[in-house]
Structure formats: structure tokens, C-alpha cells
Amino acid sequence: MRVLVVGSGGREHALAWKLRQSPSVGELLIAPGNGGTGALGENVAVRSDDTAGLVRLAQAREVDLTVVGPEVPLGLGLVDALSAAGRLAFGPTHLAAEIETSKAFSKDFLRRHGIPTAAYRTFTDHGEAVAYVESLTAAPVIKADGLSAGKGVVVCDDLDQARAALDQMMLRREFGEAGSTVIVEERLVGQEVSLLAFSDGTRVATMIPAQDHKPAYDGDQGPNTGGMGSFAPAEIMTEEMRRAVTRDVIEPAIAGMRAEGREYRGVIYAGLILTSDGPKVLEYNCRFGDPETQVLLPLLDGDLAEICRQCTVGHLDPSAVSWHLGACACVAMTSGGYPGAYRTGYPIDGIEEAEHKGCLVFHAGTKREDSRLLTAGGRVLGVTAVGPDLDSAISTAYDGVSSIGFEGAQYRTDIGAKGLAFSASRRTPSEP
């Protein structure tokens, strides 16, 4: 097959890396790709939000399967456009992608289908939203309705912070039109876990659970980012709990979307919080997570190209999705100042040394100029390692991080610590 991967981040590098292992994949195109993906296939200078350009590319190069990475092209209807042109595309349609592209739609969908989630109210008027916040007795979570690159969620510690978040989104429009509608949501307490699943519109095959680290600084402090690292499996989600979430969260979403004329094919991502009342949905995403993809795909024991093809044609065989034993950890290295203002164009050194230490280094914000690899974004690299257990995977990943350098590089030093703490809590006093 000739396969096209759409996107330019670490998720897309990981997708291209895994697809390259498939015996059925011949030519591999990545549009637009980054400084690392060119080693796996051909980078093509078409932006991921250029729907017409991507359709022309797929037709001109006779692409057999397109795998869409980011949410923006899905929300713009790229899968619809490719399907109309007679090309197979892995990912949900424009209507199905609304489960992520509109948080207001998603919350209402959850309520319609009885899927457990936090209490919420939706507002388009700033004054009404402020009045509601001032009526609360506990600090809420404020969410911009539309896409905002993982940064449009403010988990408030007090009501002053909630009012400031409403001003940021609705008055100053720091997230553009994404903040014209906001959701004021009950703040839930518990650890967050991501559970993703492949779907062909009817059947699902869930993946192993993972945990993301969105806040910029150690100890889950600082502003939200697109993700500072991840690990899998997240043992805090037991196998019994995973089956329950599949039954109560994943399968009802796929069935509900089908019943509403929005048949869902691709990957569905449930962002969950494990409360004292059981798992509840924080959000759905309509694609592979980033950086969860970087820790899930190295553990996937299966042919990703074939799984994607099966989902796209509506005939998923869940037995094709299995998992290696062990664990995987990914540490994001970012530009200084991220997720705020940052500078790019700095040389990157040490990747080969990190790879010699056993790491997979997935590029996100990188580019090549002549023979030099340079920083080109906020999240620059995802330094990833597989090990027999989480402790060894984390140790190898950080060993790799220590080999890599670029001006202003920053990263969290506690990726996976919550997973290690949970494992330690389950040991008996006699265990080491």
C-alpha cells in the first residue's frame, strides 16, 4: 500500500514509525512531516489544514490509505473529502469529529446517552457565565468550547481564577472563536487516565490505558500544555475497570454516534478521571492522543496499517489488536518558555547518543536546514523508552534526555512518578 500520514508532530512521527514496520506498506508519505519523519518516508510540503491540497496529493500519488493525525483536519472534514474522492481515510468524519471539536456538543452528547461525566453549564454570554461562577461554592473548571491545542482548559483553585479564565476566553478571546462559548464544569478529584480504542463504527478494540502529564512543571504545577510526557500501561486502571469503561464509556459513545447519524470510524480517546464514585469522562478526543501515541504504539503487537484499513472499511477484527508485555515512558523536551512565548531555530544535538542508549526519539517541533536539525516548535522532541517495567522505561528515557541538548531546553523531571507511586502502594511490606 501507498500510505499518507497527515500531520507534523510527535504523534505523526510515531504513526509513521509504526506504519513503516507493516509488510503491506510500500511508499510512505508524510504531509507536511518534520525533521525526523523524512528518515521513514517522503515529507511532502502540504499543510495538514489544506484539505484541497491533501486530496490532490492523495489522488496524484494514488494513495491507498490516509491516516489523519491531528484534530484540525478531521474537524475540517478531510476524511469526508478524501472519501468523496474515492480514497480510504482513517479517522472520523466532520460530524463525528464534533465529539472533540465542540466541547458543548460533547457534554450534551454525554448527557443524552447517560455516560458518566461532571455536572456543567454552557454559556455564550460573559455576564451570565460570571454570575453563575459567583453563585458557586467551589472552584470550577473553565473550558473553551472549540479547539485550542490542548490549552483551553483552566482547572481553577478559586473563584477569582475562574473569573479571570472567563475574561481570558470570552472577552480577550485569547483562544479566538474557540472561546466564544464556554463550559463551566464541576471540578472532579482523582487521577486522570486516557483510554483509547479503535472502532469501525460498530466494533471496538480498546488499547492499554495511559497517563498524560499536561501541566508544564513538576508536581502537576503551572499552565496546561499539549502534554509534557506520558507512560503506559497505567496500572491504576485495573483490567476490571478497563472492561467497565469499555462497556460504559467507549461502546455507548460509538453506538450513540451511530444512532445520531455520525458513524464513528477511527480512534476514539476517552479522557477519564478516576473519582471516588467511579470513572467519569473529562473529554473525548477524535484521534490518537499526543503524547499517548508515543507510548502506546511501541507496545502495540499488531500491524497498524492493517488495523487502520479494517476500521476504515468497517470490518475491524478486535483480535488483531494485542499488546507486548512491559512498559513505555515518554518525556517531552520543549522550547524555553513553552507553553507561553518561545524562540525557535536552535541546533539540536545528541539524538544519536540517546538512540544508542535504547531510546526512540520522536520529533515534534523540528526542521532540517541543510545538514542541521533545528528546533521549530514548542514541543520539540518526545524521548521514549520501552522496558520490562515502568521504572526501567523511565530510567532509560531520562538517560536519553540527558544526552540531548538545545538552547533553552526544558522538561519535567517527574514523568511516570505517579505510576511508580501507585505500584509501590500495592506492594506488601515484605516485597522489595
Side-chain angles (χ1 to χ4, degrees):
M1 288 194 294
R2 183 176 289 117
V3 176
L4 167 64
V5 175
V6 174
S8 61
R11 165 183 48 218
E12 287 73 41
H13 191 179
L15 286 167
W17 170 81
K18 190 65 177 179
L19 288 164
R20 182 76 280 170
Q21 298 170 24
S22 171
S24 64
V25 174
E27 192 172 356
L28 182 62
L29 311 175
I30 309 97
N34 59 40
T37 55
L40 298 167
E42 178 187 350
N43 286 348
V44 184
V46 182
R47 297 191 319 273
S48 62
D49 61 355
D50 181 1
T51 302
L54 290 166
V55 172
R56 286 195 296 271
L57 172 64
Q59 291 177 311
R61 300 293 291 269
E62 298 183 343
V63 169
D64 298 297
L65 175 67
T66 298
V67 178
V68 185
E71 62 273 23
V72 170
L74 293 168
L76 292 172
L78 177 57
V79 167
D80 309 66
L82 287 166
S83 297
R87 298 289 165 187
L88 286 181
F90 176 79
T93 62
H94 164 73
L95 282 177
E98 272 199 272
I99 204 164
E100 175 176 4
T101 61
S102 171
K103 288 184 174 66
F105 168 82
S106 183
K107 293 294 289 189
D108 291 345
F109 176 86
L110 286 160
R111 183 163 57 189
R112 283 196 300 275
H113 294 280
I115 299 170
T117 190
Y120 72 99
R121 289 274 301 276
T122 301
F123 296 92
T124 56
D125 181 87
H126 175 261
E128 292 178 2
V130 170
Y132 176 68
V133 162
E134 291 177 343
S135 74
L136 299 175
T137 57
V141 177
I142 308 295
K143 296 181 176 181
D145 173 53
L147 297 176
S148 46
K151 304 180 186 72
V153 176
V154 180
V155 180
C156 303
D157 294 320
D158 53 48
L159 297 185
D160 285 342
Q161 189 179 6
R163 283 187 287 264
L166 292 173
D167 291 350
Q168 175 192 28
M169 295 178 190
M170 303 186 82
L171 297 184
R172 297 198 300 276
R173 293 296 178 91
E174 292 186 14
F175 301 115
E177 284 304 304
S180 59
T181 298
V182 299
I183 294 87
V184 180
E185 186 174 283
E186 171 193 14
R187 180 173 174 174
L188 301 174
V189 177
Q191 286 203 40
E192 295 184 26
V193 178
S194 306
L195 186 65
L196 287 70
F198 294 102
S199 176
D200 64 1
T202 303
R203 289 166 289 272
V204 302
T206 53
M207 304 186 201
I208 55 175
Q211 285 191 278
D212 186 12
H213 299 65
K214 287 194 180 299
Y217 311 131
D218 286 3
D220 285 341
Q221 299 299 305
N224 268 346
T225 72
M228 296 297 293
S230 186
F231 67 91
E235 292 184 353
I236 194 170
M237 175 172 278
T238 64
E239 178 59 25
E240 181 183 8
M241 192 183 302
R242 187 180 70 86
R243 288 195 297 269
V245 170
T246 301
R247 181 192 67 229
D248 299 336
V249 171
I250 302 292
E251 291 175 347
I254 298 302
M257 294 295 275
R258 186 172 65 252
E260 295 188 12
R262 299 169 182 258
E263 186 178 49
Y264 195 105
R265 297 184 181 184
V267 167
I268 188 166
Y269 167 132
L272 305 158
I273 186 163
L274 307 183
T275 76
S276 57
D277 295 324
K280 294 189 178 184
V281 177
L282 292 173
E283 64 178 359
Y284 285 116
N285 290 336
C286 63
R287 35 70 191 184
F288 276 105
D290 190 348
E292 289 95 340
T293 305
Q294 290 90 304
V295 296
L296 291 172
L297 292 185
L299 295 174
L300 175 63
D301 182 17
D303 184 330
L304 180 62
E306 177 59 18
I307 293 167
C308 291
R309 189 197 66 80
Q310 289 180 7
C311 289
T312 301
V313 300
H315 296 291
L316 173 63
D317 176 7
S319 69
V321 181
S322 58
W323 302 93
H324 295 294
L325 296 176
C328 189
C330 173
V331 180
M333 299 186 70
T334 72
S335 295
Y338 174 81
Y342 56 84
R343 300 181 67 179
T344 61
Y346 297 114
I348 304 170
D349 297 304
I351 289 180
E352 287 187 4
E353 183 179 346
E355 291 173 338
H356 286 316
K357 290 179 175 180
C359 291
L360 297 163
V361 182
F362 294 119
H363 295 229
T366 71
K367 64 179 179 180
R368 293 194 182 273
E369 286 188 0
D370 301 321
S371 60
R372 294 308 308 268
L373 181 68
L374 306 176
T375 65
R379 287 188 291 176
V380 179
L381 301 168
V383 184
T384 304
V386 175
D389 52 49
L390 182 59
D391 196 6
S392 61
I394 292 170
S395 178
T396 302
Y398 275 111
D399 197 19
V401 167
S402 71
S403 300
I404 299 172
F406 54 88
E407 182 72 26
Q410 61 184 34
Y411 55 89
R412 283 182 55 162
T413 64
D414 63 347
I415 299 302
K418 63 184 70 174
L420 295 178
F422 178 78
S423 296
S425 73
R426 294 201 305 170
R427 297 192 191 111
T428 65
S430 61
E431 288 182 302

